[in-house]
Amino acid sequence: MLTNVMEEIVRSIVTMLMRGTEYQTFCKCAQCEMDIIALSLNTLPAHYVTTEQGRNSVFERMNSRENLEWINKRIIQSIHVIGKYPHRN
């Protein structure tokens, strides 16, 4: 097992944000979502683990309020960048 915990966190936050009301005007096609995830991950450090115990430990550490705010800022920047060049709209 090789898991990037940051990717898990980013995917879940992007999914939540894109399904919410704040970004209704943005393209929600699968390609735009994947572009947002990729761009976000390119601005964030990877956190790879090889065990479920390691994943849980890193996930707990990354799930702090400060870290989530920091991650959210990068995701929101990515949403706005990709939103300027949507695939479907």
Side-chain angles (χ1 to χ4, degrees), residues 20-54:
T21 57
E22 193 170 346
Y23 296 102
Q24 285 181 353
T25 61
F26 288 80
C27 180
K28 293 168 178 41
C29 75
Q31 184 63 53
C32 283
E33 258 191 60
M34 290 304 292
D35 287 348
I36 292 165
I37 291 167
L39 185 58
S40 299
L41 288 171
N42 284 331
T43 66
L44 293 163
H47 289 276
Y48 284 98
V49 295
T50 58
T51 65
E52 187 66 26
Q53 182 180 3

PDB file of all heavy atoms in Angstrom, residues 20-54:
ATOM      1  N   GLY A  20     -21.078  22.220  -3.050  1.00  0.00           N
ATOM      2  CA  GLY A  20     -21.714  23.238  -2.215  1.00  0.00           C
ATOM      3  C   GLY A  20     -22.255  24.398  -3.030  1.00  0.00           C
ATOM      4  O   GLY A  20     -22.135  24.452  -4.254  1.00  0.00           O
ATOM      5  N   THR A  21     -22.842  25.357  -2.344  1.00  0.00           N
ATOM      6  CA  THR A  21     -23.478  26.491  -3.008  1.00  0.00           C
ATOM      7  C   THR A  21     -22.500  27.592  -3.403  1.00  0.00           C
ATOM      8  O   THR A  21     -22.783  28.371  -4.303  1.00  0.00           O
ATOM      9  CB  THR A  21     -24.554  27.103  -2.087  1.00  0.00           C
ATOM     10  OG1 THR A  21     -23.937  27.488  -0.851  1.00  0.00           O
ATOM     11  CG2 THR A  21     -25.666  26.107  -1.814  1.00  0.00           C
ATOM     12  N   GLU A  22     -21.354  27.651  -2.760  1.00  0.00           N
ATOM     13  CA  GLU A  22     -20.414  28.743  -2.995  1.00  0.00           C
ATOM     14  C   GLU A  22     -19.832  28.752  -4.412  1.00  0.00           C
ATOM     15  O   GLU A  22     -19.502  29.804  -4.947  1.00  0.00           O
ATOM     16  CB  GLU A  22     -19.281  28.674  -1.971  1.00  0.00           C
ATOM     17  CG  GLU A  22     -18.436  29.922  -1.936  1.00  0.00           C
ATOM     18  CD  GLU A  22     -17.476  29.920  -0.765  1.00  0.00           C
ATOM     19  OE1 GLU A  22     -17.641  29.103   0.161  1.00  0.00           O
ATOM     20  OE2 GLU A  22     -16.557  30.747  -0.789  1.00  0.00           O
ATOM     21  N   TYR A  23     -19.721  27.585  -5.028  1.00  0.00           N
ATOM     22  CA  TYR A  23     -19.091  27.499  -6.350  1.00  0.00           C
ATOM     23  C   TYR A  23     -20.069  26.997  -7.409  1.00  0.00           C
ATOM     24  O   TYR A  23     -19.698  26.290  -8.330  1.00  0.00           O
ATOM     25  CB  TYR A  23     -17.847  26.598  -6.281  1.00  0.00           C
ATOM     26  CG  TYR A  23     -16.804  27.195  -5.371  1.00  0.00           C
ATOM     27  CD1 TYR A  23     -16.628  26.720  -4.080  1.00  0.00           C
ATOM     28  CD2 TYR A  23     -16.038  28.280  -5.780  1.00  0.00           C
ATOM     29  CE1 TYR A  23     -15.700  27.293  -3.233  1.00  0.00           C
ATOM     30  CE2 TYR A  23     -15.113  28.867  -4.944  1.00  0.00           C
ATOM     31  CZ  TYR A  23     -14.951  28.369  -3.668  1.00  0.00           C
ATOM     32  OH  TYR A  23     -14.040  28.952  -2.831  1.00  0.00           O
ATOM     33  N   GLN A  24     -21.334  27.396  -7.305  1.00  0.00           N
ATOM     34  CA  GLN A  24     -22.369  26.968  -8.240  1.00  0.00           C
ATOM     35  C   GLN A  24     -22.081  27.378  -9.673  1.00  0.00           C
ATOM     36  O   GLN A  24     -22.461  26.683 -10.608  1.00  0.00           O
ATOM     37  CB  GLN A  24     -23.731  27.534  -7.831  1.00  0.00           C
ATOM     38  CG  GLN A  24     -24.329  26.844  -6.644  1.00  0.00           C
ATOM     39  CD  GLN A  24     -25.689  27.421  -6.301  1.00  0.00           C
ATOM     40  OE1 GLN A  24     -26.132  28.415  -6.864  1.00  0.00           O
ATOM     41  NE2 GLN A  24     -26.368  26.793  -5.361  1.00  0.00           N
ATOM     42  N   THR A  25     -21.422  28.496  -9.862  1.00  0.00           N
ATOM     43  CA  THR A  25     -21.203  29.002 -11.217  1.00  0.00           C
ATOM     44  C   THR A  25     -19.993  28.361 -11.897  1.00  0.00           C
ATOM     45  O   THR A  25     -19.754  28.598 -13.070  1.00  0.00           O
ATOM     46  CB  THR A  25     -21.013  30.537 -11.202  1.00  0.00           C
ATOM     47  OG1 THR A  25     -19.869  30.849 -10.403  1.00  0.00           O
ATOM     48  CG2 THR A  25     -22.241  31.234 -10.640  1.00  0.00           C
ATOM     49  N   PHE A  26     -19.240  27.546 -11.180  1.00  0.00           N
ATOM     50  CA  PHE A  26     -18.049  26.916 -11.746  1.00  0.00           C
ATOM     51  C   PHE A  26     -18.408  25.590 -12.401  1.00  0.00           C
ATOM     52  O   PHE A  26     -19.328  24.897 -11.973  1.00  0.00           O
ATOM     53  CB  PHE A  26     -17.001  26.678 -10.647  1.00  0.00           C
ATOM     54  CG  PHE A  26     -16.342  27.938 -10.171  1.00  0.00           C
ATOM     55  CD1 PHE A  26     -16.973  28.776  -9.269  1.00  0.00           C
ATOM     56  CD2 PHE A  26     -15.088  28.290 -10.636  1.00  0.00           C
ATOM     57  CE1 PHE A  26     -16.370  29.943  -8.832  1.00  0.00           C
ATOM     58  CE2 PHE A  26     -14.470  29.452 -10.199  1.00  0.00           C
ATOM     59  CZ  PHE A  26     -15.115  30.285  -9.302  1.00  0.00           C
ATOM     60  N   CYS A  27     -17.674  25.248 -13.432  1.00  0.00           N
ATOM     61  CA  CYS A  27     -17.866  23.971 -14.110  1.00  0.00           C
ATOM     62  C   CYS A  27     -17.554  22.834 -13.134  1.00  0.00           C
ATOM     63  O   CYS A  27     -16.551  22.863 -12.436  1.00  0.00           O
ATOM     64  CB  CYS A  27     -16.944  23.882 -15.328  1.00  0.00           C
ATOM     65  SG  CYS A  27     -17.106  22.327 -16.225  1.00  0.00           S
ATOM     66  N   LYS A  28     -18.428  21.846 -13.105  1.00  0.00           N
ATOM     67  CA  LYS A  28     -18.263  20.729 -12.191  1.00  0.00           C
ATOM     68  C   LYS A  28     -18.008  19.416 -12.930  1.00  0.00           C
ATOM     69  O   LYS A  28     -18.187  18.341 -12.370  1.00  0.00           O
ATOM     70  CB  LYS A  28     -19.502  20.596 -11.312  1.00  0.00           C
ATOM     71  CG  LYS A  28     -19.652  21.765 -10.359  1.00  0.00           C
ATOM     72  CD  LYS A  28     -21.015  21.759  -9.713  1.00  0.00           C
ATOM     73  CE  LYS A  28     -21.223  22.850  -8.728  1.00  0.00           C
ATOM     74  NZ  LYS A  28     -20.728  24.144  -9.033  1.00  0.00           N
ATOM     75  N   CYS A  29     -17.580  19.501 -14.181  1.00  0.00           N
ATOM     76  CA  CYS A  29     -17.315  18.269 -14.931  1.00  0.00           C
ATOM     77  C   CYS A  29     -16.122  17.537 -14.302  1.00  0.00           C
ATOM     78  O   CYS A  29     -15.324  18.127 -13.566  1.00  0.00           O
ATOM     79  CB  CYS A  29     -17.070  18.559 -16.406  1.00  0.00           C
ATOM     80  SG  CYS A  29     -15.455  19.272 -16.799  1.00  0.00           S
ATOM     81  N   ALA A  30     -16.015  16.262 -14.590  1.00  0.00           N
ATOM     82  CA  ALA A  30     -14.956  15.430 -13.998  1.00  0.00           C
ATOM     83  C   ALA A  30     -13.565  15.959 -14.345  1.00  0.00           C
ATOM     84  O   ALA A  30     -12.658  15.940 -13.501  1.00  0.00           O
ATOM     85  CB  ALA A  30     -15.115  13.985 -14.461  1.00  0.00           C
ATOM     86  N   GLN A  31     -13.379  16.448 -15.564  1.00  0.00           N
ATOM     87  CA  GLN A  31     -12.066  16.953 -15.969  1.00  0.00           C
ATOM     88  C   GLN A  31     -11.673  18.193 -15.171  1.00  0.00           C
ATOM     89  O   GLN A  31     -10.536  18.307 -14.716  1.00  0.00           O
ATOM     90  CB  GLN A  31     -12.049  17.262 -17.471  1.00  0.00           C
ATOM     91  CG  GLN A  31     -10.690  17.689 -17.981  1.00  0.00           C
ATOM     92  CD  GLN A  31      -9.649  16.594 -17.826  1.00  0.00           C
ATOM     93  OE1 GLN A  31      -9.862  15.479 -18.279  1.00  0.00           O
ATOM     94  NE2 GLN A  31      -8.527  16.901 -17.188  1.00  0.00           N
ATOM     95  N   CYS A  32     -12.611  19.117 -14.990  1.00  0.00           N
ATOM     96  CA  CYS A  32     -12.299  20.318 -14.204  1.00  0.00           C
ATOM     97  C   CYS A  32     -12.003  19.951 -12.747  1.00  0.00           C
ATOM     98  O   CYS A  32     -11.081  20.506 -12.148  1.00  0.00           O
ATOM     99  CB  CYS A  32     -13.445  21.325 -14.278  1.00  0.00           C
ATOM    100  SG  CYS A  32     -13.483  22.249 -15.835  1.00  0.00           S
ATOM    101  N   GLU A  33     -12.769  19.018 -12.184  1.00  0.00           N
ATOM    102  CA  GLU A  33     -12.492  18.587 -10.809  1.00  0.00           C
ATOM    103  C   GLU A  33     -11.104  17.978 -10.692  1.00  0.00           C
ATOM    104  O   GLU A  33     -10.370  18.276  -9.754  1.00  0.00           O
ATOM    105  CB  GLU A  33     -13.551  17.592 -10.330  1.00  0.00           C
ATOM    106  CG  GLU A  33     -14.552  18.264  -9.435  1.00  0.00           C
ATOM    107  CD  GLU A  33     -15.472  17.297  -8.722  1.00  0.00           C
ATOM    108  OE1 GLU A  33     -14.982  16.432  -7.959  1.00  0.00           O
ATOM    109  OE2 GLU A  33     -16.683  17.430  -8.917  1.00  0.00           O
ATOM    110  N   MET A  34     -10.741  17.133 -11.638  1.00  0.00           N
ATOM    111  CA  MET A  34      -9.411  16.518 -11.607  1.00  0.00           C
ATOM    112  C   MET A  34      -8.320  17.575 -11.796  1.00  0.00           C
ATOM    113  O   MET A  34      -7.265  17.498 -11.165  1.00  0.00           O
ATOM    114  CB  MET A  34      -9.292  15.427 -12.674  1.00  0.00           C
ATOM    115  CG  MET A  34     -10.132  14.199 -12.369  1.00  0.00           C
ATOM    116  SD  MET A  34      -9.783  13.447 -10.764  1.00  0.00           S
ATOM    117  CE  MET A  34      -8.148  12.824 -11.040  1.00  0.00           C
ATOM    118  N   ASP A  35      -8.565  18.575 -12.649  1.00  0.00           N
ATOM    119  CA  ASP A  35      -7.596  19.662 -12.841  1.00  0.00           C
ATOM    120  C   ASP A  35      -7.410  20.463 -11.546  1.00  0.00           C
ATOM    121  O   ASP A  35      -6.289  20.838 -11.200  1.00  0.00           O
ATOM    122  CB  ASP A  35      -8.035  20.592 -13.968  1.00  0.00           C
ATOM    123  CG  ASP A  35      -7.883  19.976 -15.344  1.00  0.00           C
ATOM    124  OD1 ASP A  35      -7.231  18.917 -15.462  1.00  0.00           O
ATOM    125  OD2 ASP A  35      -8.421  20.555 -16.309  1.00  0.00           O
ATOM    126  N   ILE A  36      -8.503  20.710 -10.834  1.00  0.00           N
ATOM    127  CA  ILE A  36      -8.431  21.428  -9.559  1.00  0.00           C
ATOM    128  C   ILE A  36      -7.625  20.617  -8.548  1.00  0.00           C
ATOM    129  O   ILE A  36      -6.754  21.152  -7.854  1.00  0.00           O
ATOM    130  CB  ILE A  36      -9.850  21.734  -9.016  1.00  0.00           C
ATOM    131  CG1 ILE A  36     -10.538  22.761  -9.907  1.00  0.00           C
ATOM    132  CG2 ILE A  36      -9.794  22.211  -7.565  1.00  0.00           C
ATOM    133  CD1 ILE A  36     -12.043  22.867  -9.683  1.00  0.00           C
ATOM    134  N   ILE A  37      -7.887  19.322  -8.488  1.00  0.00           N
ATOM    135  CA  ILE A  37      -7.156  18.449  -7.565  1.00  0.00           C
ATOM    136  C   ILE A  37      -5.669  18.439  -7.923  1.00  0.00           C
ATOM    137  O   ILE A  37      -4.810  18.593  -7.050  1.00  0.00           O
ATOM    138  CB  ILE A  37      -7.754  17.021  -7.579  1.00  0.00           C
ATOM    139  CG1 ILE A  37      -9.146  17.045  -6.948  1.00  0.00           C
ATOM    140  CG2 ILE A  37      -6.834  16.039  -6.860  1.00  0.00           C
ATOM    141  CD1 ILE A  37      -9.965  15.791  -7.185  1.00  0.00           C
ATOM    142  N   ALA A  38      -5.360  18.267  -9.205  1.00  0.00           N
ATOM    143  CA  ALA A  38      -3.956  18.209  -9.637  1.00  0.00           C
ATOM    144  C   ALA A  38      -3.233  19.516  -9.339  1.00  0.00           C
ATOM    145  O   ALA A  38      -2.113  19.509  -8.808  1.00  0.00           O
ATOM    146  CB  ALA A  38      -3.876  17.884 -11.125  1.00  0.00           C
ATOM    147  N   LEU A  39      -3.847  20.644  -9.689  1.00  0.00           N
ATOM    148  CA  LEU A  39      -3.214  21.936  -9.443  1.00  0.00           C
ATOM    149  C   LEU A  39      -3.008  22.157  -7.942  1.00  0.00           C
ATOM    150  O   LEU A  39      -1.950  22.625  -7.515  1.00  0.00           O
ATOM    151  CB  LEU A  39      -4.045  23.064 -10.051  1.00  0.00           C
ATOM    152  CG  LEU A  39      -3.461  24.461  -9.972  1.00  0.00           C
ATOM    153  CD1 LEU A  39      -2.088  24.532 -10.654  1.00  0.00           C
ATOM    154  CD2 LEU A  39      -4.420  25.467 -10.605  1.00  0.00           C
ATOM    155  N   SER A  40      -3.994  21.799  -7.148  1.00  0.00           N
ATOM    156  CA  SER A  40      -3.876  21.938  -5.690  1.00  0.00           C
ATOM    157  C   SER A  40      -2.729  21.091  -5.159  1.00  0.00           C
ATOM    158  O   SER A  40      -1.915  21.560  -4.359  1.00  0.00           O
ATOM    159  CB  SER A  40      -5.181  21.519  -5.006  1.00  0.00           C
ATOM    160  OG  SER A  40      -6.251  22.331  -5.407  1.00  0.00           O
ATOM    161  N   LEU A  41      -2.664  19.840  -5.607  1.00  0.00           N
ATOM    162  CA  LEU A  41      -1.611  18.942  -5.122  1.00  0.00           C
ATOM    163  C   LEU A  41      -0.227  19.414  -5.546  1.00  0.00           C
ATOM    164  O   LEU A  41       0.752  19.174  -4.827  1.00  0.00           O
ATOM    165  CB  LEU A  41      -1.860  17.514  -5.607  1.00  0.00           C
ATOM    166  CG  LEU A  41      -3.020  16.802  -4.920  1.00  0.00           C
ATOM    167  CD1 LEU A  41      -3.319  15.486  -5.615  1.00  0.00           C
ATOM    168  CD2 LEU A  41      -2.727  16.584  -3.442  1.00  0.00           C
ATOM    169  N   ASN A  42      -0.130  20.098  -6.676  1.00  0.00           N
ATOM    170  CA  ASN A  42       1.157  20.626  -7.114  1.00  0.00           C
ATOM    171  C   ASN A  42       1.643  21.769  -6.232  1.00  0.00           C
ATOM    172  O   ASN A  42       2.825  22.113  -6.267  1.00  0.00           O
ATOM    173  CB  ASN A  42       1.097  21.066  -8.571  1.00  0.00           C
ATOM    174  CG  ASN A  42       1.137  19.902  -9.511  1.00  0.00           C
ATOM    175  OD1 ASN A  42       1.707  18.866  -9.208  1.00  0.00           O
ATOM    176  ND2 ASN A  42       0.525  20.061 -10.666  1.00  0.00           N
ATOM    177  N   THR A  43       0.751  22.361  -5.444  1.00  0.00           N
ATOM    178  CA  THR A  43       1.134  23.464  -4.558  1.00  0.00           C
ATOM    179  C   THR A  43       1.259  23.026  -3.108  1.00  0.00           C
ATOM    180  O   THR A  43       1.564  23.845  -2.250  1.00  0.00           O
ATOM    181  CB  THR A  43       0.121  24.627  -4.648  1.00  0.00           C
ATOM    182  OG1 THR A  43      -1.138  24.191  -4.127  1.00  0.00           O
ATOM    183  CG2 THR A  43      -0.031  25.131  -6.070  1.00  0.00           C
ATOM    184  N   LEU A  44       0.989  21.755  -2.837  1.00  0.00           N
ATOM    185  CA  LEU A  44       1.017  21.229  -1.474  1.00  0.00           C
ATOM    186  C   LEU A  44       2.044  20.096  -1.362  1.00  0.00           C
ATOM    187  O   LEU A  44       2.272  19.384  -2.341  1.00  0.00           O
ATOM    188  CB  LEU A  44      -0.368  20.681  -1.098  1.00  0.00           C
ATOM    189  CG  LEU A  44      -1.478  21.725  -0.980  1.00  0.00           C
ATOM    190  CD1 LEU A  44      -2.842  21.057  -1.031  1.00  0.00           C
ATOM    191  CD2 LEU A  44      -1.320  22.514   0.308  1.00  0.00           C
ATOM    192  N   PRO A  45       2.619  19.919  -0.182  1.00  0.00           N
ATOM    193  CA  PRO A  45       3.581  18.815  -0.021  1.00  0.00           C
ATOM    194  C   PRO A  45       2.871  17.464   0.029  1.00  0.00           C
ATOM    195  O   PRO A  45       1.776  17.350   0.585  1.00  0.00           O
ATOM    196  CB  PRO A  45       4.252  19.124   1.325  1.00  0.00           C
ATOM    197  CG  PRO A  45       3.237  19.915   2.072  1.00  0.00           C
ATOM    198  CD  PRO A  45       2.477  20.713   1.038  1.00  0.00           C
ATOM    199  N   ALA A  46       3.482  16.468  -0.570  1.00  0.00           N
ATOM    200  CA  ALA A  46       2.950  15.111  -0.508  1.00  0.00           C
ATOM    201  C   ALA A  46       3.233  14.512   0.861  1.00  0.00           C
ATOM    202  O   ALA A  46       4.235  14.849   1.506  1.00  0.00           O
ATOM    203  CB  ALA A  46       3.585  14.254  -1.595  1.00  0.00           C
ATOM    204  N   HIS A  47       2.363  13.649   1.313  1.00  0.00           N
ATOM    205  CA  HIS A  47       2.543  12.940   2.585  1.00  0.00           C
ATOM    206  C   HIS A  47       2.230  11.471   2.338  1.00  0.00           C
ATOM    207  O   HIS A  47       1.114  11.013   2.572  1.00  0.00           O
ATOM    208  CB  HIS A  47       1.632  13.514   3.684  1.00  0.00           C
ATOM    209  CG  HIS A  47       2.051  14.860   4.153  1.00  0.00           C
ATOM    210  ND1 HIS A  47       3.016  15.035   5.116  1.00  0.00           N
ATOM    211  CD2 HIS A  47       1.665  16.090   3.788  1.00  0.00           C
ATOM    212  CE1 HIS A  47       3.198  16.325   5.328  1.00  0.00           C
ATOM    213  NE2 HIS A  47       2.388  16.985   4.522  1.00  0.00           N
ATOM    214  N   TYR A  48       3.236  10.747   1.837  1.00  0.00           N
ATOM    215  CA  TYR A  48       3.063   9.334   1.510  1.00  0.00           C
ATOM    216  C   TYR A  48       3.255   8.457   2.741  1.00  0.00           C
ATOM    217  O   TYR A  48       4.108   8.729   3.576  1.00  0.00           O
ATOM    218  CB  TYR A  48       4.060   8.897   0.432  1.00  0.00           C
ATOM    219  CG  TYR A  48       3.672   9.386  -0.936  1.00  0.00           C
ATOM    220  CD1 TYR A  48       4.250  10.521  -1.476  1.00  0.00           C
ATOM    221  CD2 TYR A  48       2.727   8.691  -1.686  1.00  0.00           C
ATOM    222  CE1 TYR A  48       3.891  10.978  -2.730  1.00  0.00           C
ATOM    223  CE2 TYR A  48       2.360   9.136  -2.943  1.00  0.00           C
ATOM    224  CZ  TYR A  48       2.938  10.275  -3.464  1.00  0.00           C
ATOM    225  OH  TYR A  48       2.582  10.716  -4.698  1.00  0.00           O
ATOM    226  N   VAL A  49       2.445   7.419   2.813  1.00  0.00           N
ATOM    227  CA  VAL A  49       2.557   6.423   3.875  1.00  0.00           C
ATOM    228  C   VAL A  49       2.422   5.037   3.260  1.00  0.00           C
ATOM    229  O   VAL A  49       1.927   4.894   2.134  1.00  0.00           O
ATOM    230  CB  VAL A  49       1.472   6.625   4.961  1.00  0.00           C
ATOM    231  CG1 VAL A  49       1.656   7.945   5.679  1.00  0.00           C
ATOM    232  CG2 VAL A  49       0.074   6.548   4.363  1.00  0.00           C
ATOM    233  N   THR A  50       2.859   4.040   4.012  1.00  0.00           N
ATOM    234  CA  THR A  50       2.811   2.671   3.499  1.00  0.00           C
ATOM    235  C   THR A  50       1.942   1.742   4.335  1.00  0.00           C
ATOM    236  O   THR A  50       1.762   0.584   3.972  1.00  0.00           O
ATOM    237  CB  THR A  50       4.226   2.073   3.414  1.00  0.00           C
ATOM    238  OG1 THR A  50       4.803   2.109   4.723  1.00  0.00           O
ATOM    239  CG2 THR A  50       5.084   2.843   2.430  1.00  0.00           C
ATOM    240  N   THR A  51       1.408   2.252   5.448  1.00  0.00           N
ATOM    241  CA  THR A  51       0.558   1.419   6.295  1.00  0.00           C
ATOM    242  C   THR A  51      -0.708   2.178   6.672  1.00  0.00           C
ATOM    243  O   THR A  51      -0.746   3.413   6.619  1.00  0.00           O
ATOM    244  CB  THR A  51       1.275   1.013   7.605  1.00  0.00           C
ATOM    245  OG1 THR A  51       1.512   2.202   8.381  1.00  0.00           O
ATOM    246  CG2 THR A  51       2.581   0.290   7.334  1.00  0.00           C
ATOM    247  N   GLU A  52      -1.713   1.437   7.091  1.00  0.00           N
ATOM    248  CA  GLU A  52      -2.962   2.055   7.554  1.00  0.00           C
ATOM    249  C   GLU A  52      -2.706   2.868   8.823  1.00  0.00           C
ATOM    250  O   GLU A  52      -3.258   3.944   9.005  1.00  0.00           O
ATOM    251  CB  GLU A  52      -4.018   0.977   7.805  1.00  0.00           C
ATOM    252  CG  GLU A  52      -5.388   1.523   8.115  1.00  0.00           C
ATOM    253  CD  GLU A  52      -6.042   2.260   6.955  1.00  0.00           C
ATOM    254  OE1 GLU A  52      -5.719   1.974   5.785  1.00  0.00           O
ATOM    255  OE2 GLU A  52      -6.883   3.144   7.223  1.00  0.00           O
ATOM    256  N   GLN A  53      -1.836   2.367   9.687  1.00  0.00           N
ATOM    257  CA  GLN A  53      -1.491   3.091  10.917  1.00  0.00           C
ATOM    258  C   GLN A  53      -0.817   4.420  10.574  1.00  0.00           C
ATOM    259  O   GLN A  53      -1.121   5.455  11.162  1.00  0.00           O
ATOM    260  CB  GLN A  53      -0.583   2.244  11.797  1.00  0.00           C
ATOM    261  CG  GLN A  53      -0.223   2.900  13.096  1.00  0.00           C
ATOM    262  CD  GLN A  53       0.695   2.019  13.947  1.00  0.00           C
ATOM    263  OE1 GLN A  53       1.102   0.935  13.533  1.00  0.00           O
ATOM    264  NE2 GLN A  53       1.032   2.492  15.125  1.00  0.00           N
ATOM    265  N   GLY A  54       0.107   4.401   9.611  1.00  0.00           N
ATOM    266  CA  GLY A  54       0.758   5.627   9.171  1.00  0.00           C
ATOM    267  C   GLY A  54      -0.231   6.596   8.564  1.00  0.00           C
ATOM    268  O   GLY A  54      -0.184   7.800   8.809  1.00  0.00           O
TER     269      GLY A  54
END
